Amino acid sequence: ETLLKEAAAWFSRLNTRSVSSATLEEFRTWRQAPGRRDAYAEVERAWRRSSVLDGDAAMNAAVADALSRGRGAGARPRAVAVAVALSLILALGVGFAVWTQVSGETLTTRVGEQRLVVLEDGSRVRLDTDTRLSARMDGQQRRVRLLKGQAFFEVAHDPSRPFLVDAAGAQVRAIGTRFDVRRDAEHVRVTLVQGVVEVRRPSEPARPAVRLTPGQQIIANSRLGAPQRVDLEAATSWTDGRIIFHAVPLRVAIAEVNRYSRRKITLEAPELGDEVVSGAFDSGDVEAFVLAVSHLHGLRAEPQGEDVIMLKPPRG
C-alpha cells in the first residue's frame, strides 16, 4: 500500500506540463528499489483503465466506496491500495488529461524533457526529448504536424474523422490505434504498436499507401521502405524512461544517448564505431552508459568541462 501511494505521487509529478531532467533522475533513483517499478506500472494501468471516467460522479463514488470498505474487516489490502492511489490521482487532477492542447498551438520539449498531452478529440500524445509538434481539429479530420523529434500517439476512435500525422514527406493515417513516429534529419520512422495505420508519401499520390500491422515499422526518406518486424519493447522503451539496445553499433548508441542529455559523449576511437552495444539504460543517465561501454571496449572516459565526455582508446 505504501509503495502504491508513493507511485501515485510520482505519477502526479511526472504527468505535469513540464518534467525536468532533475525530476526524471530522482524518479529513476526511486524506481530502483524492489517493488517500485511494479507499483508504478500498476498505478499507470489503473489510470489508463479509469481515465475516461475522470471527474465522473460514479467513479468518485466507487473510489470512496472502496476506501470505506477498506476500513472494514476482511478488506483486500491490494485493492484498497489501488483505490487510494486512484483517489490521489483523481484528487490532484493529474495524468494524461492534465494538459489539453489548444488547436493550432505548437508544443515543444527541451532536451531531456517529456510531456503528456491530451488533444481536443481525446487522443493522447507523449512527446519525447527535443520535440516539436502542432495539431488542428475540425469536423472533417484531425491533423498533427511533427516538426521535429518523436511522439507516441494513442488515438481516440472516431471513424468519421481520420487522424493524420504529417512528418517531412511522410503521412500516417489512423482511426483508433497506438503508434510511434520519429522524425530525424535523414528519415521518418513509424512503428505500430496496436491497431492499423497506413503510411504514404503525399508527393506520390499514385502510389498506394503501405498498411502496417502491430509489431511492424517502416522508414520513409526519399521513398517508402518495406515494412519490417521490430522489437516493440526496444522501439518504445523511451516511453518508460529507458533506452534499450540490441546489438546496436556504438556510434548509433552514443547518438541515441546524446538525444536525452545536454552533456554529450564523443567517440575519439572511430575504429570502434561499428562495435555493437546491448543493454538497457535509463534515458539521461550518461554516466551509466559511459561506464558500461568503457568497460566493454576498454575505452578511457575523459570529461571535457561540464558539457562533453570523450571516449578515448586506452593509453599505450
Side-chain angles (χ1 to χ4, degrees), residues 106-126:
T106 299
L107 307 174
T108 62
T109 55
R110 299 184 296 271
V111 173
E113 180 184 50
Q114 292 184 357
R115 288 182 174 181
L116 297 171
V117 182
V118 170
L119 303 182
E120 292 180 356
D121 68 327
S123 297
R124 303 167 184 173
V125 185
R126 183 190 293 267

Side-chain angles (χ1 to χ4, degrees), residues 15-27:
N15 290 288
T16 55
R17 193 182 186 100
S18 178
V19 181
S20 68
S21 298
T23 298
L24 286 174
E25 182 60 32
E26 188 178 348
F27 171 64

Side-chain angles (χ1 to χ4, degrees), residues 6-307:
E6 291 178 4
W10 270 112
F11 192 81
S12 71
R13 290 184 65 184
L14 295 178
N15 290 288
T16 55
R17 193 182 186 100
S18 178
V19 181
S20 68
S21 298
T23 298
L24 286 174
E25 182 60 32
E26 188 178 348
F27 171 64
R28 294 185 191 107
T29 301
W30 173 85
R31 192 177 56 180
Q32 289 172 0
R36 289 176 173 175
R37 183 185 291 271
D38 291 340
Y40 187 85
E42 184 166 350
V43 169
E44 193 169 41
R45 285 193 299 269
W47 170 257
R48 288 180 178 178
R49 289 194 299 268
S50 65
S51 60
V52 293
L53 299 175
D54 184 15
D56 185 91
M59 178 62 184
N60 291 334
V63 172
D65 179 62
L67 288 171
S68 64
R69 284 185 287 107
R71 288 189 287 269
R76 294 175 58 194
R78 195 70 172 172
V80 174
V82 172
V84 170
L86 273 174
S87 67
L88 286 172
I89 293 170
L90 293 172
L92 291 170
V94 301
F96 293 101
V98 74
W99 182 17
T100 301
Q101 191 259 2
V102 178
S103 185
E105 178 186 7
T106 299
L107 307 174
T108 62
T109 55
R110 299 184 296 271
V111 173
E113 180 184 50
Q114 292 184 357
R115 288 182 174 181
L116 297 171
V117 182
V118 170
L119 303 182
E120 292 180 356
D121 68 327
S123 297
R124 303 167 184 173
V125 185
R126 183 190 293 267
L127 284 70
D128 197 13
T129 176
D130 198 17
T131 293
R132 186 167 73 252
L133 63 76
S134 64
R136 289 189 178 276
M137 308 284 165
D138 58 38
Q140 285 72 47
Q141 65 182 16
R142 302 168 288 172
R143 185 180 293 269
V144 174
R145 293 182 63 212
L146 180 61
L147 305 170
K148 179 184 181 183
Q150 187 167 8
F152 187 86
F153 297 87
E154 296 181 73
V155 178
H157 188 72
D158 184 354
S160 66
R161 292 192 300 168
F163 190 98
L164 305 176
V165 178
D166 294 306
Q171 184 180 84
V172 185
R173 179 186 176 98
I175 294 178
T177 186
R178 300 171 66 227
F179 61 97
D180 182 278
V181 182
R182 175 167 169 174
R183 177 176 178 175
D184 293 320
E186 299 82 13
H187 58 254
V188 174
R189 185 180 68 196
V190 181
T191 306
L192 180 63
V193 174
Q194 182 181 24
V196 178
V197 298
E198 292 182 340
V199 185
R200 69 185 186 95
R201 287 180 55 80
S203 61
E204 300 176 309
R207 181 175 179 180
V210 178
R211 176 167 287 202
L212 301 184
T213 58
Q216 286 188 325
Q217 182 182 95
I218 192 169
I219 294 177
N221 37 50
S222 58
R223 62 182 182 83
L224 284 179
Q228 302 289 332
R229 302 297 301 182
V230 295
D231 181 340
L232 285 181
E233 182 185 20
T236 62
S237 61
W238 68 270
T239 62
D240 191 36
R242 297 182 299 158
I243 309 174
I244 297 178
F245 299 125
H246 293 317
V248 173
L250 178 57
R251 54 182 171 76
V252 175
I254 289 175
E256 187 68 12
V257 171
N258 282 343
R259 292 179 62 226
Y260 293 90
S261 175
R262 295 189 180 279
R263 193 179 191 190
K264 305 302 183 183
I265 304 168
T266 63
L267 181 62
E268 303 299 315
E271 67 279 6
L272 297 179
D274 290 327
E275 294 293 323
V276 298
V277 174
S278 295
F281 304 88
D282 286 336
S283 56
D285 193 347
V286 175
E287 289 75 13
F289 176 81
V290 166
L291 182 63
V293 298
S294 297
H295 283 301
L296 180 64
H297 298 292
L299 296 166
R300 289 183 294 122
E302 293 189 1
Q304 303 294 309
E306 296 183 355
D307 298 328

